[in-house]
Amino acid sequence: RRRRAPRRLMAWLLAAAACILAHVGAAVRSADGENSVGSGHLGWRDDWLSDWEVSVGEETYQLHAVMLARASSFFRGNIRMAARGFERHSNLTELLPQSCLPAFELALDFIYSPPGADFVVPRTQALYLLKVADVLGIDSLAEAVAKDVERKFVDFAPHLMQQYFTFHLPGTDDGPVFLKVRNSLIHIIVRRFGAFLVDPVARAIMLSWPVDILAAILGVDELRVAHEDDVFDFVSDRMLLLAHGATLSGEEPVLRSVVPAGSLFSASDGEETANLTTGEADQGALLWNCVRTDYLSAEKMKDAALLGEHLGRPDIIAAAFDSLVMRASLSRRRGFPVRPRRPLLPAWVRPPMSNEIDFCFHYGDGTRFTCEEELRSRPKRIGDMVVRLLAYPAGEDNESKGFLSVFIAVVPQPTYPPGWSFNQVRYTMSCLSWLVETPPFEQTITMDFSDEEAVGWGWPNFIQEDGMDDFISPDGFVCLRAAIHADFIGQTFLRRRRVRLLDT
């Protein structure tokens, strides 16, 4: 008990000194009449009564030992050593990662802030500040930053992960704090991956990440993306960067800088394939295994085969053709293992049937779209009709400006005869709701399609912009579904084929 008494006394003295300094600071101003935290409180730029020196890079700070010891376990240890005769100085230049040095002043703002004051964590420095707090043992600051990362900076997740990679050393353990934050960021990116893909800067940032992190994101069933084609495009770009040894700064969306636009998929017979080292080939295989080829469109199947040829990867070519064979066979029905489709639809909405076509796109808050800007779904064959959905998020024209405009269109095929038509086709257009208690918004119409008018009548004023809230997912997606009524499926066959079917 006698040995513990001096420690208790020292703790009491430190707390008392902190209170005295805080109140004395109210009566003392720095040379310019203000301090860094606010009038009436001692700030770290006030060198009056300073008794501890801290070096960070080329900067030297004259600080107050009692304020540092109150907040930081690292500084408490240093100050105890000084009581035994060591110099009253701390050098953090080698202790903190180089990228985190500028964030030290933000940590000082927190340390010197008045009790109960609101401390704003800047998102552009959040992970750097967290690293400073973790190294210096400022637990309350680390907790505040971690909460803001999970709750306030969701839209900034790729940038925060990029901050993490500036100081993370591969193969090292950054401790439980960063393990939790990193896993939280990965979870956010998985849920909002499709939204980040449409942001060129965020996409370029993600392309620069280590392959093992990308595999952890792309390989999960819960990845939110509008179509597997988007995953293929992302993976193919990353594999090209591996093959050509290119790097991205993360600031500019220079995704095709290593391969000029169009040169990959229009390669001449004499074009050389890219040379991959063993390590690059292993990383490429890890990425490629994240692509679910069973759900690629026919166009991307072709691109996959050409990508495999360009990279000298016969396994990619084989995967593309295996998926095509499976689609044409009954292997899937006989228990052949197939990975599930990425879930973008609301959990309570069933997948589309053979007479239905879905179109999911990232809407956000709608402000990035301009009037007359058109989005097109991928085509789908229903009977002889090959149809796609057309969406104008900001309106088809000036008369429908401020509305979501939607239409269904027939994509003419080379096999269609002159004067082709599909008459009296009845279908329902739905905008799916993401709230269980809110039903989908639906409109039904019966119409004709022909070679003179392939785009059917739709709804220029389908849903007003102010009424879109219930139909936007938490990740900013809108899902449309067009369903041709079962009683009208016969109308989706060309006339000559309908006669042949009736004869049969």
Side-chain angles (χ1 to χ4, degrees):
R1 294 180 180 177
R2 292 180 180 177
R3 291 180 180 176
R4 293 180 182 176
R7 295 183 181 178
R8 293 177 180 174
L9 179 61
M10 179 62 71
W12 183 87
L13 290 174
L14 285 173
C19 293
I20 293 172
L21 280 175
H23 286 86
V24 169
V28 179
R29 295 287 189 273
S30 58
D32 59 359
E34 294 292 337
N35 58 50
S36 61
V37 175
S39 59
H41 199 87
L42 184 68
W44 57 267
R45 291 185 176 87
D46 300 325
D47 58 5
W48 185 75
L49 290 181
S50 63
D51 58 349
W52 195 267
E53 185 177 83
V54 178
S55 298
V56 181
E58 298 179 355
E59 300 291 334
T60 300
Y61 302 88
Q62 303 300 325
L63 305 173
H64 309 87
V66 66
M67 302 296 288
L68 299 176
R70 182 183 65 170
S72 165
S73 60
F74 171 81
F75 283 119
R76 280 198 295 272
N78 276 210
I79 291 168
R80 290 194 185 101
M81 296 294 291
R84 301 177 184 176
F86 289 87
E87 61 178 340
R88 303 180 67 80
H89 175 265
S90 299
N91 191 341
L92 306 182
T93 305
E94 300 297 328
L95 183 65
L96 296 175
Q98 190 69 26
S99 61
C100 299
L101 298 183
F104 178 69
E105 292 190 356
L106 294 172
L108 290 179
D109 286 339
F110 178 85
I111 290 172
Y112 279 81
S113 61
D118 291 332
F119 179 75
V120 179
V121 178
R123 66 180 188 175
T124 56
Q125 297 287 321
L127 268 291
Y128 304 134
L129 183 58
L130 181 60
K131 184 64 175 178
V132 171
D134 187 53
V135 171
L136 300 183
I138 312 175
D139 296 338
S140 54
L141 176 58
E143 182 180 355
V145 175
K147 286 183 179 179
D148 280 359
V149 167
E150 295 179 6
R151 299 176 184 177
K152 297 182 181 180
F153 302 152
V154 173
D155 294 336
F156 206 66
H159 302 263
L160 295 177
M161 187 68 87
Q162 187 74 356
Q163 293 176 21
Y164 171 73
F165 289 132
T166 62
F167 56 77
H168 171 69
L169 298 176
T172 62
D173 183 5
D174 294 300
V177 172
F178 277 96
L179 178 62
K180 180 181 178 181
V181 169
R182 191 187 75 167
N183 290 341
S184 176
L185 288 174
I186 289 177
H187 180 65
I188 292 170
I189 293 167
V190 165
R191 289 189 296 107
R192 300 180 64 86
F193 187 73
F196 294 136
L197 281 183
V198 300
D199 180 353
V201 175
R203 190 177 193 274
I205 287 175
M206 294 190 294
L207 279 171
S208 67
W209 291 349
V211 168
D212 60 330
I213 295 295
L214 291 177
I217 294 171
L218 299 173
V220 299
D221 293 344
E222 296 78 15
L223 186 71
R224 290 299 182 95
V225 64
H227 197 278
E228 195 67 24
D229 287 4
D230 298 331
V231 178
F232 169 81
D233 288 337
F234 183 86
V235 168
S236 64
D237 278 335
R238 189 64 178 94
M239 293 179 72
L240 288 171
L241 296 175
L242 281 173
H244 293 270
T247 58
L248 290 175
S249 66
E251 297 300 326
E252 296 294 334
V254 286
L255 306 183
R256 291 287 185 179
S257 60
V258 294
V259 178
S263 67
L264 175 62
F265 300 138
S266 59
S268 62
D269 295 337
E271 182 180 352
E272 296 182 358
T273 59
N275 295 319
L276 296 176
T277 65
T278 303
E280 291 170 347
D282 292 342
Q283 292 184 53
L286 187 62
L287 281 173
W288 179 249
N289 287 337
C290 297
V291 179
R292 305 188 176 188
T293 53
D294 297 289
Y295 308 108
L296 291 180
S297 65
E299 178 184 1
K300 296 304 175 183
M301 285 287 193
K302 174 184 175 183
D303 290 351
L306 293 171
L307 176 67
E309 182 180 4
H310 178 82
L311 298 178
R313 294 287 304 274
D315 57 316
I316 294 179
I317 302 174
F321 282 102
D322 285 347
S323 295
L324 287 174
V325 170
M326 281 193 59
R327 292 182 186 183
S329 68
L330 299 178
S331 300
R332 187 188 306 268
R333 300 180 184 177
R334 295 174 181 173
F336 195 91
V338 177
R339 288 182 290 180
R341 185 186 296 272
R342 316 278 188 180
L344 183 61
L345 296 173
W348 53 89
V349 176
R350 58 169 174 74
M353 301 177 68
S354 59
N355 64 318
E356 298 172 331
I357 176 172
D358 284 3
F359 183 26
C360 298
F361 59 91
H362 188 258
Y363 183 85
D365 59 4
T367 56
R368 68 185 182 92
F369 296 102
T370 59
C371 185
E372 300 183 12
E373 182 176 352
E374 181 185 83
L375 302 179
R376 296 186 171 196
S377 74
R378 292 173 176 83
K380 179 175 180 177
R381 179 179 292 275
I382 302 176
D384 287 333
M385 290 179 65
V386 178
V387 297
R388 62 158 39 109
L389 301 187
L390 308 179
Y392 300 82
E396 179 198 17
D397 50 30
N398 288 330
E399 294 183 1
S400 59
K401 189 174 182 179
F403 285 83
L404 168 65
S405 305
V406 294
F407 303 89
I408 190 169
V410 173
V411 182
Q413 302 297 301
T415 56
Y416 286 3
W420 62 266
S421 65
F422 300 96
N423 300 320
Q424 295 297 296
V425 179
R426 187 172 182 82
Y427 73 94
T428 296
M429 182 75 73
S430 305
C431 188
L432 303 179
S433 171
W434 295 83
L435 301 175
V436 179
E437 62 274 13
T438 304
F441 181 81
E442 298 180 341
Q443 294 284 349
T444 300
I445 195 172
T446 302
M447 53 184 305
D448 300 335
F449 300 88
S450 67
D451 57 353
E452 296 180 355
E453 180 131 13
V455 177
W457 294 102
W459 294 271
N461 301 338
F462 191 58
I463 301 178
Q464 194 167 7
E465 182 180 342
D466 296 341
M468 288 294 298
D469 291 345
D470 290 346
F471 305 100
I472 302 175
S473 77
D475 307 322
F477 281 93
V478 168
C479 287
L480 301 172
R481 171 173 291 179
I484 296 178
H485 291 204
D487 294 343
F488 290 78
I489 291 296
Q491 305 301 114
T492 64
F493 292 93
L494 291 171
R495 185 174 181 276
R496 282 183 294 181
R497 189 171 177 187
R498 287 205 304 270
V499 172
R500 193 179 308 118
L501 289 172
L502 290 173
D503 291 342
T504 303

